[in-house]
Amino acid sequence: MKLRLYSLIFSAALVGFTSCEHEEVDTFDTSFTALNIWVGNAAAVYESTTYNYSYAYGEGSVTFYAQISGVPADHDRTFTLEAFGGDSALVVPTVRTEEYVLPAGAISGTYQVHFNAQHLSSPDLFTQEDGHISFRVKENTEFAPGTTGRQTFSVVLKNYLAKPDSWDSANYPQVALSRYFGIYSRVKYQFMIETLGLVDFTINYNATTAINTETNVVSASYAVYLQQVMQRALNEYNATHDTPLTDETGVPVTF
């Protein structure tokens, strides 16, 4: 009787062992990686930005950010962008993209799309009405499209001296330029560009360096220095001219 009981227990254990051997366990597919893109940085996510052809005689650029949804790879991975929509037929001849590289082990990176004013079909293009173009990642064996809202970014195109988007207001941690340079005027802004050599720069409270020349982001303390530079430049101008510098409405420029 005992022998029969032991036999039954052994048989049950054997069946259990055999079933465990054939059990299929779901695993996470590490080969799938979606690539999210936007203009901004890791902390500031925007779907669009502005590029002004008039700010650079030749080639200028727009910075965008890319970040994976997935796991890092043990090898470098590349991706490219394609332009679509809006005024892409007119704009593509002015655009230069690259074969962008996400290094092995990395989950994100900062990259650039380049625009060249010398390749515009007409110097009057986008001087009266803004243009638009969008970009998306070309799907390849390494990357699938990103999550909703992170699959594309757009660029508003101008070709005239335009008021910076962040002059009167800005979303934290950015700071409005008016805090340091006062009321906007075209003459004032042109004078700043000529003096500082900076175009469409932004001020960021969290910036750890005085100025990032790739993104045109300056720290709040460096903005104070730039304000002082402009004050000295204005004093020198007024001292060497018969009349003080005035804006397009005839009001004296101040900083």
Side-chain angles (χ1 to χ4, degrees):
M1 190 70 168
K2 288 183 179 181
L3 179 61
R4 183 180 179 186
L5 178 61
Y6 292 151
S7 298
L8 289 173
I9 293 174
F10 176 76
S11 298
L14 182 62
V15 170
F17 176 74
T18 304
S19 64
C20 288
E21 280 190 320
H22 291 85
E23 183 178 358
E24 295 184 0
V25 179
D26 292 335
T27 58
F28 182 73
D29 183 6
T30 57
S31 65
F32 175 83
T33 303
L35 187 63
N36 302 302
I37 57 172
W38 62 82
V39 284
N41 53 49
V45 179
Y46 304 107
E47 294 182 359
S48 66
T49 189
T50 299
Y51 181 79
N52 197 321
Y53 286 100
S54 70
Y55 291 168
Y57 178 74
E59 188 174 83
S61 61
V62 163
T63 299
F64 72 95
Y65 190 81
Q67 180 173 300
I68 64 171
S69 292
V71 296
D74 60 0
H75 60 277
D76 291 352
R77 291 181 285 182
T78 62
F79 67 95
T80 56
L81 296 183
E82 60 180 350
F84 70 98
D87 300 285
S88 56
L90 294 172
V91 178
V92 164
T94 77
V95 173
R96 180 174 66 85
T97 59
E98 305 170 22
E99 184 176 70
Y100 305 104
V101 178
L102 186 68
I107 63 170
S108 62
T110 301
Y111 307 93
Q112 293 182 323
V113 174
H114 308 278
F115 297 84
N116 196 321
Q118 299 304 303
H119 297 159
L120 286 170
S121 59
S122 168
D124 295 326
L125 200 61
F126 309 132
T127 58
Q128 301 298 320
E129 186 175 346
D130 293 349
H132 299 80
I133 189 171
S134 297
F135 295 91
R136 61 192 169 205
V137 175
K138 287 184 179 179
E139 190 170 353
N140 59 26
T141 56
E142 295 281 10
F143 296 116
T147 56
T148 302
R150 301 289 181 269
Q151 296 178 349
T152 68
F153 65 84
S154 299
V155 182
V156 178
L157 301 164
K158 303 175 185 289
N159 193 16
Y160 55 90
L161 193 63
K163 182 179 181 179
D165 296 338
S166 62
W167 190 283
D168 290 325
S169 62
N171 296 320
Y172 183 85
Q174 290 188 357
V175 190
L177 273 68
S178 59
R179 183 182 183 92
Y180 298 88
F181 304 106
I183 298 173
Y184 173 83
S185 74
R186 179 178 54 80
V187 171
K188 174 184 285 188
Y189 191 37
Q190 286 178 319
F191 188 55
M192 288 174 60
I193 293 173
E194 293 172 3
T195 304
L196 302 176
L198 293 173
V199 179
D200 208 20
F201 66 95
T202 57
I203 305 168
N204 193 305
Y205 272 128
N206 293 342
T208 56
T209 58
I211 179 170
N212 185 322
T213 55
E214 291 186 358
T215 60
N216 266 4
V217 173
V218 306
S219 66
S221 58
Y222 193 68
V224 173
Y225 165 74
L226 295 180
Q227 179 191 47
Q228 295 170 347
V229 170
M230 292 311 307
Q231 289 171 343
R232 290 194 296 270
L234 180 62
N235 290 336
E236 292 175 4
Y237 177 94
N238 291 339
T240 56
H241 290 74
D242 295 334
T243 58
L245 183 65
T246 58
D247 66 19
E248 52 270 30
T249 65
V251 176
V253 172
T254 60
F255 290 98

